[in-house]
Amino acid sequence: MTRHAATPRHAATDSAIATAVASGPAGVSTHYKWLALSNTTIAVLLATIDSSIMLIAMPEIFRGIQLNPLDPGNTFYLLWMILGFLIVSSVLVVSLGRLGDMFGRVKMYNLGFAVFTVASLLLALDPFTARAGADWLIIGRIFQGIGAAFLIANSAAILTDAFPPGQRGLALGINNIAGISGSFIGLILGGVLAAIDWRLVFLVSVPFGLFGTIWSYLKLKELGQRHRARIDWAGNITFAAGLILIMIGVTLGIEPANGNAMGWTSAPVISLLAAGVASLVAFALVETRVTDPMFRFPLFKIKAFTFGTLSTFLSAIGRGGLMFMLIIWLQGIWLPLHGYSFKQTPLWAGIFMLPLTLGFLLSGPLSGYLSDRLGARYFATGGMLGAALSFALLMLLPIDFNYAAFAAILLFSGLCMGAFAAPNRAAVMNSLPARDRGAGGGMNSTFQNSAQVLSIGIFFTLMIIGLSTTLSTTLVQGLMQHGVPATAAARVGALPPVSILFAAFLGYNPIRTLLGAGVLDHLAASDRMQLTGHSYFSNLIAKPFHAGLAEAFIFAAVMCLIAAAASWSRGRRYIHRED
């Protein structure tokens, strides 16, 4: 085996690594480590399924609470039902990982399972409709995100405590890939359950959460080192405030403002982003001065941790918005062109994206297993290079692609991203001192989760920039050719591109929704059928959409290439050895 480029006190020799690989934690049975893997994998899978389960289920949820998300003022509910969960889990995961180091990782993890399960039950029992019903769901999703943050923050540390270094790649690979693939499984599960009853989207987590909670309380053991310390309140507050302000600014930035297609130049967005950055600067200053900081900046002295976390962040930015772009591509254009009604498109979009999930599931555990023996550097770097290539291949596809080619590229992309994710996560956790595994793992997860939210904002921004150049003119001319009055056509053409994207994303018939019955009823039957048919809207937006899609994919490819460079810079294999 190779060894890391020497750093005093932390560099492990070949013989030390070999000893660490062969031996597990003292007093831990072989049975226990697999029990811990089973429980934490269920937990992470549940948490990430619920991060995406609403995407496909949105139309039925809004119909269930009797709220039209496309009405003026309701875009807030649409965005925060999706992003609220991610924002909360991003903000809290470092703090909760640090609490796990201080008071016990299993104790914090168990609490998270209970909070997540109760929140899921309350979401399913939403007693209200309209905006009150939406407020209930947003608040419930925030509490669900808090529970998920407890689970995500401590699961990797629990596994690192339970498994010897020579098996952590496999264990963390299975756990991490379950988490990433869960976000894609949630798409299909949400579509299937919402078609039966929208409340099942939330209720499905309750029996699994209840089982996992009881199982974890009865069986998991505290194996990690506890490091009693004072809670860093100043650090927690400034960090949370900074991330929340920035993420709210990102969500508002992609909404129209002051007559513009997006709100990035509006005073509220600029103020939120500036205040968020100022709060994070204050956080950095606080952390250098307190005795027991929440964010362990000295960990960045460990080269393997620093470059592993940086590549995590960059890969998540490249990957985070991919799901949205593919869903909109499928729902808004490809599926309608191939005869699917707009109401059917949410479920089938999830089904047609299965090759991406399959790629993750195939390569994640295998690459994690191999990285235990060969190190993470080649797998993680090669995975990011392959992911960049997959984005280039997606750009080469015509807007009305052959599905076999599309599926092959998705499978290749999943294989590459899985090859990166599992070894990279194991390398990051192997580099950490035992006492800092909760905080370090939480820091890594925070970079990943916050990057996903930023990625969604960036992808939507690039997409809207591409659409804005020709979409309005294309819509107005196309509608007027089929008898729509100039004033009505101009009204639709003046709508911000994000409204057009959301109409397709939600599985509504876009032209029927945007024009309304009052206009359509006065058109000739042939024109009305043409405008509201499967293919009219898809053909209308295909060209401007493809321009925006190319911008987004170029950005993603660049992020993956930089992530590959960061991954290679981690150096040779490194396992932290306690002095």
Side-chain angles (χ1 to χ4, degrees):
M1 295 181 184
T2 59
R3 59 185 174 86
H4 190 275
T7 56
R9 301 179 57 192
H10 289 301
T13 64
D14 287 343
S15 60
I17 291 179
T19 302
V21 167
S23 62
V28 179
S29 68
T30 302
H31 170 73
Y32 175 77
K33 62 187 179 185
W34 299 113
L35 183 151
L37 176 61
S38 302
N39 189 279
T40 55
T41 298
I42 289 174
V44 171
L45 187 62
L46 280 176
T48 53
I49 283 175
D50 275 71
S51 72
S52 65
I53 199 168
M54 291 187 71
L55 294 180
I56 299 297
M58 278 289 189
E60 295 301 329
I61 291 173
F62 277 112
R63 276 189 275 269
I65 63 173
Q66 302 170 31
L67 182 70
N68 183 355
L70 297 180
D71 284 347
N74 287 349
T75 307
F76 165 86
Y77 297 105
L78 173 65
L79 287 172
W80 275 87
M81 281 189 199
I82 298 171
L83 298 179
F85 182 101
L86 288 174
I87 290 173
V88 170
S89 59
S90 299
V91 167
L92 293 179
V93 73
V94 173
S95 301
L96 300 180
R98 185 81 175 97
L99 289 178
D101 290 338
M102 293 164 57
F103 301 110
R105 292 155 189 165
V106 170
K107 183 183 294 184
M108 295 297 104
Y109 173 88
N110 292 342
L111 176 61
F113 235 142
V115 171
F116 180 86
T117 304
V118 171
S120 299
L121 179 61
L122 292 175
L123 280 163
L125 299 176
D126 186 351
F128 303 112
T129 57
R131 292 188 173 184
D135 288 335
W136 179 284
L137 293 179
I138 290 172
I139 294 170
R141 287 283 286 174
I142 288 173
F143 277 99
Q144 199 179 43
I146 292 172
F150 272 104
L151 298 174
I152 294 168
N154 292 284
S155 60
I158 289 172
L159 287 178
T160 306
D161 291 337
F163 279 82
Q167 293 180 333
R168 286 176 190 159
L170 175 62
L172 290 166
I174 292 172
N175 189 260
N176 197 37
I177 294 306
I180 295 174
S181 60
S183 62
F184 295 101
I185 294 170
L187 298 176
I188 301 171
L189 191 61
V192 171
L193 295 175
I196 302 170
D197 189 316
W198 69 269
R199 295 181 188 273
L200 291 176
V201 171
F202 307 112
L203 194 60
V204 68
S205 299
V206 175
F208 294 101
L210 185 61
F211 170 73
T213 302
I214 295 172
W215 185 19
S216 64
Y217 268 100
L218 293 177
K219 297 296 184 180
L220 294 186
K221 305 172 184 177
E222 292 286 4
L223 301 177
Q225 298 181 15
R226 294 193 196 185
H227 176 60
R228 292 284 180 174
R230 295 179 180 179
I231 296 177
D232 177 15
W233 291 111
N236 277 272
I237 292 170
T238 51
F239 179 75
L243 274 188
I244 289 171
L245 289 169
I246 288 175
M247 291 182 182
I248 292 175
V250 169
T251 60
L252 292 179
I254 62 176
E255 293 189 61
N258 303 326
N260 297 317
M262 292 179 289
W264 291 111
T265 58
S266 67
V269 170
I270 293 173
S271 299
L272 285 167
L273 295 178
V277 171
S279 185
L280 290 180
V281 170
F283 164 73
L285 294 174
V286 166
E287 296 302 273
T288 60
R289 287 166 170 77
V290 297
T291 305
D292 296 300
M294 163 188 122
F295 213 92
R296 305 287 293 174
F297 282 110
L299 293 178
F300 287 115
K301 295 178 181 178
I302 303 171
K303 186 178 181 181
F305 175 79
T306 299
F307 285 101
T309 299
L310 178 59
S311 56
T312 295
F313 178 77
L314 293 167
S315 69
I317 285 184
R319 185 187 69 241
L322 172 64
M323 187 187 305
F324 281 89
M325 297 302 102
L326 295 179
I327 289 173
I328 293 171
W329 192 355
L330 288 168
Q331 289 186 204
I333 298 177
W334 194 86
L335 287 167
L337 288 178
H338 289 259
Y340 293 83
S341 70
F342 284 101
K343 190 173 181 179
Q344 293 176 310
T345 58
L347 172 59
W348 282 100
I351 293 173
F352 278 114
M353 287 175 60
L354 274 175
L356 189 63
T357 305
L358 179 62
F360 274 113
L361 294 176
L362 288 174
S363 69
L366 178 60
S367 63
Y369 173 80
L370 292 174
S371 72
D372 285 333
R373 285 144 182 80
L374 304 172
R377 193 182 195 187
Y378 292 100
F379 291 98
T381 303
M384 280 296 95
L385 291 173
L389 176 59
S390 71
F391 283 112
L393 293 173
L394 284 171
M395 280 191 292
L396 295 177
L397 287 177
I399 200 72
D400 186 14
F401 50 77
N402 176 278
Y403 181 72
F406 181 76
I409 295 172
L410 289 191
L411 178 63
F412 176 67
S413 179
L415 289 169
C416 293
M417 291 181 182
F420 164 81
N424 184 69
R425 181 70 165 174
V428 167
M429 295 305 296
N430 274 333
S431 72
L432 292 169
R435 62 181 281 175
D436 293 318
R437 284 172 183 162
M443 289 161 65
N444 187 263
S445 295
T446 288
F447 278 105
Q448 177 173 295
N449 294 345
S450 58
Q452 289 178 328
V453 178
L454 291 173
S455 178
I456 291 168
I458 293 168
F459 269 65
F460 266 112
T461 298
L462 293 171
M463 175 64 67
I464 291 167
I465 290 172
L467 285 171
S468 296
T469 56
T470 59
L471 181 61
S472 177
T473 302
T474 302
L475 279 173
V476 172
Q477 291 177 351
L479 293 174
M480 290 179 64
Q481 286 174 1
H482 288 276
V484 175
T487 53
R491 176 176 56 80
V492 173
L495 290 173
V498 70
S499 297
I500 310 296
L501 291 179
F502 283 159
F505 173 68
L506 288 166
Y508 294 116
N509 186 313
I511 298 298
R512 185 185 302 278
T513 303
L514 298 173
L515 281 179
V519 175
L520 289 171
D521 288 346
H522 290 86
L523 300 180
S526 59
D527 286 326
R528 185 166 59 249
M529 290 179 62
Q530 178 73 17
L531 289 172
T532 58
H534 292 169
S535 61
Y536 179 78
F537 175 78
S538 302
N539 282 320
L540 197 65
I541 70 165
K543 187 174 180 179
F545 178 85
H546 198 253
L549 198 65
E551 298 284 345
F553 285 156
I554 289 171
F555 171 80
V558 171
M559 289 297 102
C560 289
L561 289 174
I562 300 174
S567 180
W568 184 259
S569 299
R570 78 179 71 232
R572 302 169 71 186
R573 192 178 187 199
Y574 174 77
I575 297 175
H576 181 88
R577 181 166 58 92
E578 301 297 331
D579 296 325

